[in-house]
Amino acid sequence: MEFPEGTWKRLLSGEFGKDYYLKLGEFVDREYAEETVYPPRPLLFNAFAKCPFEETKVVIIGQDPYHGKGQANGLCFSVNEGVKFPPSLKNIFKEVESQTGNPVPLFGSLERWAAQGVLLLNAILTVREKQAGSHQKKGWEEFTDAVIRKLSEDRKGLVFILWGAYAQKKGSVIDRERHLVLESVHPSPLSAHRGFFGNKHFVKANEYLKSEGMSPVEW
């Protein structure tokens, strides 16, 4: 698996030679060769390519990529332009509009967030078409735990946004004395009305960033 050049690659280099990562690489290579896998291979590490380590200021943690054709682009919750908004993304945009007044955008790509320092990190970076969760427990979880740990240890004053029990479990490695951790239920229609709507995470994130001397995110 060819990881993009830059600070991320240098900081994560200790993972690439580990047994779990080598096995994961073999599995992912085989899946791309034999199955339809999302996101498209060139976008596998898109979250890191679009948001350099030293520019990261907010981290949003998702679970695994969308498994429908043309949806996944390597950024959690994000879809390609022209793709219908999945329900969770629709609720995210509703909450942004409610908190900030920013209108719901025409397109569901969150690249503009990534360009401002928002790392949109799925816990699992690949999935088979129409098979949600099909690449769980193959090694991705260990790799993304290492990513979160590296951010927690090597940076200070970041915002980690954890929606739902799965993301909150991933966040157990975060040093909460060094960073702001915002938690609520998931934006899925199944849970959004139980505490996602009205959580004020986008406003709270920006208030904290400003208090740490960083520019707020234009959500």
Side-chain angles (χ1 to χ4, degrees), residues 8 20 22-23 35 49 55 61 69 74-76 78 91 106 113 117 126 147 151 154 170-172 184 214:
W8 278 119
Y20 87 87
L22 297 173
K23 287 179 179 173
E35 306 287 344
E55 293 176 23
I61 299 175
K69 185 176 181 181
L75 309 175
C76 73
S78 174
N91 285 340
L106 297 175
W113 289 7
T126 52
V147 171
L151 283 162
D154 289 16
K170 290 286 285 184
S172 64
S184 79
M214 288 185 272

Side-chain angles (χ1 to χ4, degrees), residues 58 60 96 100 102 112-113 118 161 202-203 205-206 217-219:
V58 179
I60 299 178
V96 168
T100 68
N102 295 344
R112 60 195 176 79
W113 289 7
V118 181
I161 296 179
F202 301 106
V203 169
N206 278 349
V217 175
E218 181 63 38
W219 301 106

Side-chain angles (χ1 to χ4, degrees), residues 57-215:
K57 52 193 180 186
V58 179
V59 183
I60 299 178
I61 299 175
Q63 192 159 351
D64 61 354
Y66 297 121
H67 54 84
K69 185 176 181 181
Q71 290 182 300
N73 59 16
L75 309 175
C76 73
F77 295 106
S78 174
V79 292
N80 291 311
E81 291 193 7
V83 175
K84 182 181 175 184
F85 296 173
S88 292
L89 182 60
K90 193 181 292 185
N91 285 340
I92 288 168
F93 285 148
K94 273 187 194 173
E95 183 61 15
V96 168
E97 184 176 36
S98 167
Q99 289 181 34
T100 68
N102 295 344
V104 173
L106 297 175
F107 301 112
S109 172
L110 299 180
E111 281 195 17
R112 60 195 176 79
W113 289 7
Q116 297 177 77
V118 181
L119 180 68
L120 295 156
L121 180 68
N122 275 318
I124 298 114
L125 298 189
T126 52
V127 68
R128 272 194 199 180
E129 184 177 39
K130 298 180 181 175
Q131 294 184 42
S134 51
H135 286 186
Q136 291 180 6
K137 298 185 175 145
K138 302 295 183 183
W140 280 130
E141 294 92 337
E142 193 169 342
F143 178 69
T144 51
D145 278 351
V147 171
I148 296 165
R149 196 176 294 111
K150 185 60 70 175
L151 283 162
S152 177
E153 292 172 356
D154 289 16
R155 296 287 309 277
K156 190 174 184 304
L158 303 183
V159 181
F160 290 86
I161 296 179
L162 312 177
W163 294 324
Y166 186 91
Q168 287 159 23
K169 190 175 177 185
K170 290 286 285 184
S172 64
V173 301
I174 300 165
D175 183 342
R176 294 170 189 235
E177 292 186 5
R178 292 171 62 86
H179 307 281
L180 176 66
V181 178
L182 299 172
E183 299 178 319
S184 79
V185 299
H186 196 274
S188 158
L190 298 173
S191 57
H193 289 280
R194 299 202 308 268
F196 176 77
F197 291 131
N199 66 20
K200 304 289 187 195
H201 282 182
F202 301 106
V203 169
K204 288 176 180 176
N206 278 349
E207 287 172 350
Y208 181 79
L209 290 174
K210 286 189 279 189
S211 77
E212 290 289 317
M214 288 185 272
S215 57

Side-chain angles (χ1 to χ4, degrees), residues 11-86:
L11 291 173
L12 296 170
S13 60
E15 300 301 308
F16 301 145
K18 290 183 179 177
D19 189 50
Y20 87 87
Y21 192 87
L22 297 173
K23 287 179 179 173
L24 172 64
E26 290 172 4
F27 169 77
V28 170
D29 287 345
R30 190 167 61 249
E31 285 285 292
Y32 272 110
E34 298 174 1
E35 306 287 344
T36 301
V37 174
Y38 299 127
R41 181 121 207 187
L43 299 178
L44 172 56
F45 293 116
N46 200 29
F48 303 96
K50 298 292 185 189
C51 185
F53 179 84
E54 55 273 18
E55 293 176 23
T56 299
K57 52 193 180 186
V58 179
V59 183
I60 299 178
I61 299 175
Q63 192 159 351
D64 61 354
Y66 297 121
H67 54 84
K69 185 176 181 181
Q71 290 182 300
N73 59 16
L75 309 175
C76 73
F77 295 106
S78 174
V79 292
N80 291 311
E81 291 193 7
V83 175
K84 182 181 175 184
F85 296 173

